[in-house]
Amino acid sequence: MRLAKWRASNMYDFDYMEYFTTGRESCKKKIEEIFEENKNKPIAIAINGKWGVGKSYFWKNEIAPFLKKKLNITPIYTSVFGKKDEKEIIEDLVSQFLTIENKNTDAIRGFIEGTFKLLGKNIDLNSLFKFFKKEHMRDTIVCIDDFERLSDKISVQDILGLICELKENKGLVFVIYNENELFKNDKSNQQDTEMAENKIIFEKYKEKVFDFQIHFAPPTREQFSIFMPKNLEKNFDTYKYFTDIISIDELLEDHHFTNLRELDRVNYTYKTLLKEFHLEKYPSEEFKKIYNYIFYPIAYAYHFGVKKEYFERSYGIGIGDLTSPHISMYHELLKSLLSELKYAFEFIQKTGFLYIPQLFQNLNTNTPIQICKIYLQNFVKKIIDDTKFHKEYIKEWDKENTLKEASINFFLKHKNDIESIPYMFGYRILKYTFDEEKNSINAKKIKSFSIELVMEEYRQEVLKLFNKWCDMAYNNIFNKTCEDNQEYFWINKFTFYFPLENMFKKLNIPMPQNKLMDFYEKEI
């Protein structure tokens, strides 16, 4: 965990709280401990955290039900946001005290108004509480939210005094705020001065008012789990091979974003994409899970500006060394897809998530969304096929002692299955390796098929099969529509020709001769 923050005044100034995380379970456990250790004592607890991390959500959906069930305490909630004076805050609280008894709210508010008129505007809670029966006050706990949004018309001393009075009368009080946003104002010099004075007063008295201060900073994965869409499942075979932009785990680990509102906006985009890309019939349950899954990290990456280069049309330099088990095509292929989807994202956001693909008809009667849908279906199909071949190779690996024996046996078994050729030549969307293999010195531990080792003994047979596959690919690519390309959708000079050329140079073998090779050689 990175703790040092760069600042102009001090290169090694540490801000530990910026990186300190306290999850929901830890906070609930701490609150339970506080109550257990301070029975029958008046307590005020402050919950401090950044805007958007879900402090109010945490209170309403987890703390309040927890207190009610575990400790048999009825929670009372009010927000100071929008209330112009202390009187409105007290009215709201007292009204809720009495509605616990299921009394008519309007009548209660009328009673409160009459009480204020009788006792005067500046009454204190001790006087007000004398008008209510003890049973109204017993076994309840008060939560005051949005303290940093307190009106500048309300005295800080008065509101802190109110919290103290509530603590003495009620015994248990929660106050929720973002301390970084307390008493900020840039409207006028006079208001700036007032805010500075309020800040001083708060800092002076907060230790006396609040018996405990809890820093609420849930980790990214915990935040994500709250709004995780129902369609989003990771229990498919290929997930462990997903990396970078198409892996939610990688994004969450690198991004560290915890704002619930923004995460919920990602969900809206995700649901919109699912609606537009939905297939009437899925080839298999595995296909459906992968197809539905991929949209979320794409929506997440676009919304937060992660991997911006993926959404810009660019021309790469190839996918690298095909003989390496750590090389995959997903970078180049996703760029092809996402550069098209960028316009869909922009339209979705500008129209409030009302996307109408029929507005974007092209000359071939296919909309950009329809073209992307075809591309994505082929994308998922190749992932599944690659994984199927890899699992079959692993079976051979488990039987043999050497990488060469496993590779040769796999080749001999699948040489008549023409669809296996791209996998054997290293044209795979995902990285079929394991974390422990990435830094492995012992090459025998790398569980990935090696065409290089097979060609040492079966070069002519391998090349013959490769030429046969290239002829089939050529006929499909240049004689049929994009819908019919299917397993050949990924072929272009950057994902296909350049890496192949590099591989044959490395192996010191002449390039194969066929129509597909001739086409890309002339194109270059």
Side-chain angles (χ1 to χ4, degrees), residues 19 25 38 42 77 116 171-172 198 403 425 437 475 477 514:
Y19 299 92
E25 289 304 317
N38 296 273
Y77 173 90
F116 270 102
L172 303 171
N198 287 336
L403 178 64
F425 267 75
E437 297 168 4
N475 291 332
I477 293 170
N514 55 64

Side-chain angles (χ1 to χ4, degrees), residues 211-348:
D211 302 280
F212 300 93
Q213 298 178 56
I214 295 176
H215 179 69
F216 184 67
T220 305
R221 290 181 186 277
E222 186 177 282
Q223 294 291 81
F224 168 75
S225 66
I226 291 176
F227 289 134
M228 187 174 73
K230 294 180 181 178
N231 305 72
L232 200 61
E233 296 183 58
K234 299 188 292 184
N235 59 335
F236 48 88
D237 288 344
T238 59
Y239 184 77
K240 61 184 176 182
Y241 302 116
F242 277 33
T243 56
D244 209 22
I245 197 171
I246 55 173
S247 168
I248 290 174
D249 289 335
E250 293 284 342
L251 286 171
L252 296 179
E253 183 176 335
D254 295 339
H255 191 217
H256 303 298
F257 199 86
T258 57
N259 189 300
L260 287 181
R261 286 186 288 272
E262 294 299 320
L263 287 171
D264 206 23
R265 289 189 181 99
V266 175
N267 287 347
Y268 281 121
T269 305
Y270 171 69
K271 291 174 184 177
T272 302
L273 288 174
L274 277 186
K275 183 178 179 181
E276 299 300 339
F277 281 85
H278 179 75
L279 303 181
E280 292 184 6
K281 185 177 181 181
Y282 293 90
S284 67
E285 189 63 26
E286 182 84 350
F287 186 101
K288 183 178 180 180
K289 288 179 180 179
I290 298 173
Y291 188 85
N292 287 342
Y293 168 85
I294 286 176
F295 290 112
Y296 190 90
I298 287 174
Y300 186 102
Y302 181 81
H303 184 86
F304 291 119
V306 181
K307 302 286 186 182
K308 291 182 179 180
E309 67 274 15
Y310 278 71
F311 296 90
E312 301 293 337
R313 183 173 292 279
S314 61
Y315 298 96
I317 57 174
I319 60 173
D321 183 5
L322 291 175
T323 63
S324 170
H326 307 297
I327 296 300
S328 72
M329 295 189 295
Y330 71 89
H331 287 285
E332 296 296 330
L333 296 183
L334 276 174
K335 284 181 181 179
S336 299
L337 173 66
L338 301 187
S339 62
E340 297 292 337
L341 275 180
K342 176 185 177 183
Y343 304 104
F345 280 119
E346 290 175 348
F347 194 84
I348 286 171

Side-chain angles (χ1 to χ4, degrees), residues 33 45 89 99 120 138 167 194 275 323 341 344 381 386 412 446 456 459 480 510 523:
E33 288 176 359
I45 299 173
I89 298 173
T99 50
R138 188 177 61 238
K167 182 169 70 170
E194 291 174 358
K275 183 178 179 181
T323 63
L341 275 180
K381 182 180 182 301
D386 288 347
L412 294 175
I446 297 177
E456 290 179 4
R459 179 186 299 185
K480 296 185 179 181
E523 187 182 51

Side-chain angles (χ1 to χ4, degrees), residues 75-109:
I76 300 296
Y77 173 90
T78 188
S79 170
V80 302
F81 186 49
K83 294 183 172 61
K84 63 180 182 294
D85 54 34
E86 185 184 7
K87 173 176 170 288
E88 287 191 2
I89 298 173
I90 296 173
E91 283 182 352
D92 190 28
L93 285 172
V94 175
S95 173
Q96 291 192 57
F97 289 149
L98 295 180
T99 50
I100 294 174
E101 300 295 315
N102 297 318
K103 297 184 182 297
N104 182 274
T105 304
D106 293 334
I108 291 168
R109 289 195 177 276

Side-chain angles (χ1 to χ4, degrees), residues 44-58:
I45 299 173
I47 297 180
N48 172 33
K50 291 181 179 181
W51 279 343
V53 296
K55 301 183 297 296
S56 302
Y57 181 93
F58 178 56

